[in-house]
Amino acid sequence: MSLIYVHSSGGKIFQAGAMEIPAYISSGKINAIVFSAEEYQPKDHKSNTLGYYYPSHIERYYVPLDDSTTLNKLEIVDTIFEAERAADFVKSRVQAGRSVLVTCWQGRNRSGLITGLALKKLTDFAPGQIVFLIQANRQNALTNSLFERIIQTV
């Protein structure tokens, strides 16, 4: 399990890929999930394409992001806007003492972008420290140079 951050409220940020979600659910450690994989947006908590269900007490936030490194300017602006909204969701839950699982298909780039932007809102860490923290706690995270630049500059 990739624990990225623990807030003074007791809230936590975890980062994972879609296939890891069942372990987090069964652990009882999470109160909310952010789904950022464009190709995986399970709307029904009772069924989904991976064959498990999401308990109704776990809050869900859906933000389908494209993780291409060749987005045009309009797509980049839209990605930043949507990722910032998801980061606001994470921030508010973590400050309230809740634990949030930020996911994408592999748990690397889209989830890393949202986690990084949430950490910018929650901490006084420098952007480089945030990228290092995510990469140190989540193997192969933030390999998308565009997303790393967004964390560094937004």
Side-chain angles (χ1 to χ4, degrees):
M1 294 195 166
S2 296
L3 174 62
I4 305 295
Y5 176 75
V6 180
H7 188 265
S8 60
S9 68
K12 299 177 178 115
I13 301 175
F14 295 92
Q15 188 175 329
M19 300 301 178
E20 299 168 87
I21 295 171
Y24 282 92
I25 290 172
S26 64
S27 75
K29 293 181 180 182
I30 59 167
N31 308 107
I33 302 175
V34 175
F35 294 97
S36 65
E38 184 177 48
E39 65 277 19
Y40 184 65
Q41 293 285 306
K43 299 289 186 186
D44 181 352
H45 75 274
K46 294 181 179 179
S47 63
N48 64 73
T49 57
L50 295 181
Y52 52 89
Y53 78 99
Y54 302 98
S56 58
H57 70 276
I58 295 178
E59 191 175 6
R60 292 170 299 282
Y61 186 91
Y62 302 98
V63 56
L65 300 177
D66 183 347
D67 67 351
S68 172
T69 57
T70 59
L71 299 175
N72 66 42
K73 289 179 183 180
L74 183 59
E75 292 168 328
I76 292 170
V77 169
D78 186 51
T79 295
I80 292 169
F81 176 77
E82 293 298 336
E84 286 277 6
R85 286 182 47 202
D88 287 337
F89 171 87
V90 173
K91 175 189 172 198
S92 68
R93 290 350 181 245
V94 169
Q95 285 178 324
R98 298 172 59 82
S99 293
V100 182
L101 175 60
V102 183
T103 69
C104 60
W105 189 249
Q106 293 184 350
R108 295 171 46 191
N109 290 305
R110 293 168 283 196
S111 58
L113 173 62
I114 293 167
T115 298
L117 293 174
L119 288 171
K120 286 181 83 169
K121 296 169 184 286
L122 285 163
T123 71
D124 292 330
F125 299 160
Q129 291 174 302
I130 290 171
V131 170
F132 177 81
L133 177 66
I134 293 167
Q135 290 175 332
N137 288 289
R138 183 74 185 161
Q139 186 176 20
N140 297 315
L142 290 173
T143 57
N144 181 321
S145 60
L146 172 62
F147 288 0
E148 184 177 339
R149 282 194 315 274
I150 290 170
I151 292 169
Q152 298 274 2
T153 59
V154 170

